[in-house]
Amino acid sequence: MVYNEPDFMDLWCRHYGAQVGLENCFIIDHGSDDGTTDNLGSVNILRLPRSPQDDDWRSQLVSDFSVGLLTRYDCVIYTDVDEILVADPRCHRNLTDAARAMRGPVMHAIGLEVWHLAAEEAAIDIARPVSDQRHWAWFNSALCKPSLIREPIRWAPGFHSVDAPLAFDHLYLFHLRYFDVARGLARLSRTRSMAWADETAGDHQRQPDEAWLRLVRDVGHLPKAEDADLDTTAAPLADLLQRTIDSQLGRQTDTYRIDLGIHGRSLLPIPPRFKGRF
């Protein structure tokens, strides 16, 4: 579901179109007026009039729409436009294989922020694979989203949680909010200028530039876990996933069933097996 996303729309379509076919991709356009969703080939586009940003309404709308899709499809993936799901090539050939392999109603992603180290890496070239240009990621439990479903569910606002236990199976979510400093600042300016249904919501999308840049700098200065391999059975990723799983205890009736504030203490390298895959 998008509103004026010039930096991500083509990238999103290119990735998911290659995985499942553009004819099986659906975009809910919430009033874009910049041409973002024009000329996208065989992608299915549902156009809605613009209204104030309302994450409760958005999660309900997408949940209901996904239930409808499940009457025609075996599985449904939902992601935001800056979220790229990749199945670990050691375990699955692509997202379709990952969907066929899932055993429960939901598969959760392993959430990683793709980080731009501006002192070492050039500005992003959208026409080229991101994974060829960015080398480091940062674990964020808020991105361990229930992204792949095969039974009707209802997502919590932000799509961070559903009423189902965490289930990981080598599905990685690479979040591109911080993949390019200049593009990130431009997008932050757009989200600050949007009308919001609740003036207390979406603080992280309306923060001052200085706060955003401070986070970019602080995470960029974390130590690098040079030998890490995004292996779910080895430290540090195994420990972070276990902390996330353990955080479900006592949250069974909460809106968010996990602690959304678990972060890595180091930057993790994006391994060679993921290069060129997004």
Side-chain angles (χ1 to χ4, degrees):
M1 185 169 182
V2 300
Y3 169 64
N4 288 357
E5 291 285 4
D7 292 334
F8 295 103
M9 197 71 268
D10 287 346
L11 192 158
W12 187 94
C13 290
R14 188 167 67 239
H15 177 74
Y16 290 104
Q19 294 286 311
V20 303
L22 287 175
E23 69 278 10
N24 298 308
C25 294
F26 295 79
I27 294 169
I28 303 173
D29 184 352
H30 189 197
S32 294
D33 56 13
D34 67 343
T36 289
T37 59
D38 295 343
N39 304 313
L40 296 181
S42 54
V43 174
N44 302 279
I45 300 176
L46 172 64
R47 299 188 186 276
L48 300 180
R50 187 64 190 161
S51 58
Q53 182 76 4
D54 184 334
D55 283 343
D56 291 312
W57 168 75
R58 185 167 73 106
S59 61
Q60 179 177 337
L61 174 72
V62 172
S63 297
D64 291 342
F65 186 59
S66 297
V67 170
L69 289 176
L70 283 170
T71 67
R72 292 293 181 266
Y73 290 91
D74 296 320
C75 297
V76 170
I77 285 171
Y78 176 79
T79 72
D80 289 340
V81 72
D82 60 354
E83 296 173 348
I84 302 298
L85 284 176
V86 181
D88 191 331
R90 285 177 176 168
C91 305
H92 308 294
R93 288 183 304 169
N94 51 33
L95 293 178
T96 302
D97 274 4
R100 289 189 177 119
M102 67 187 296
R103 295 291 176 260
V106 178
M107 188 187 297
H108 290 73
I110 298 165
L112 299 165
E113 304 274 9
V114 177
W115 219 258
H116 183 195
L117 302 186
E120 305 172 14
E121 300 168 332
I124 203 76
D125 178 355
I126 292 292
R128 296 173 51 216
V130 172
S131 56
D132 289 344
Q133 304 172 70
R134 295 294 178 259
H135 308 288
W136 300 96
W138 183 50
F139 179 84
N140 181 357
S141 64
L143 297 174
C144 291
K145 294 184 174 184
S147 301
L148 174 57
I149 65 169
R150 65 177 184 183
E151 294 180 9
I153 55 86
R154 187 158 298 280
W155 277 287
F159 304 91
H160 299 290
S161 185
V162 294
D163 184 12
L166 279 178
F168 295 116
D169 186 15
H170 304 96
L171 181 68
Y172 294 77
L173 188 157
F174 293 97
H175 188 213
L176 305 183
R177 181 177 177 83
Y178 302 97
F179 83 141
D180 187 83
V181 171
R183 291 176 187 272
L185 286 172
R187 191 176 192 224
L188 181 61
S189 177
R190 290 197 299 274
T191 54
R192 271 200 306 261
S193 67
M194 288 167 21
W196 291 72
D198 181 353
E199 286 303 316
T200 65
D203 288 346
H204 65 292
Q205 298 184 57
R206 296 188 286 170
Q207 62 186 309
D209 286 357
E210 295 76 14
W212 193 88
L213 287 168
R214 186 163 53 251
L215 177 62
V216 170
R217 180 199 64 213
D218 290 349
V219 172
H221 287 159
L222 289 173
K224 296 174 178 176
E226 301 274 1
D227 296 329
D229 190 38
L230 295 188
D231 186 341
T232 59
T233 65
L237 186 57
D239 300 333
L240 291 162
L241 292 176
Q242 190 60 55
R243 284 179 58 198
T244 305
I245 291 168
D246 292 345
S247 74
Q248 296 174 103
L249 185 63
R251 298 175 186 267
Q252 290 85 350
T253 60
D254 292 357
T255 299
Y256 300 111
R257 304 301 177 89
I258 62 170
D259 181 351
L260 302 182
I262 298 171
H263 298 108
R265 296 181 180 178
S266 61
L267 290 171
L268 304 175
I270 299 174
R273 69 184 185 278
F274 286 95
K275 297 299 182 180
R277 291 187 173 265
F278 69 97

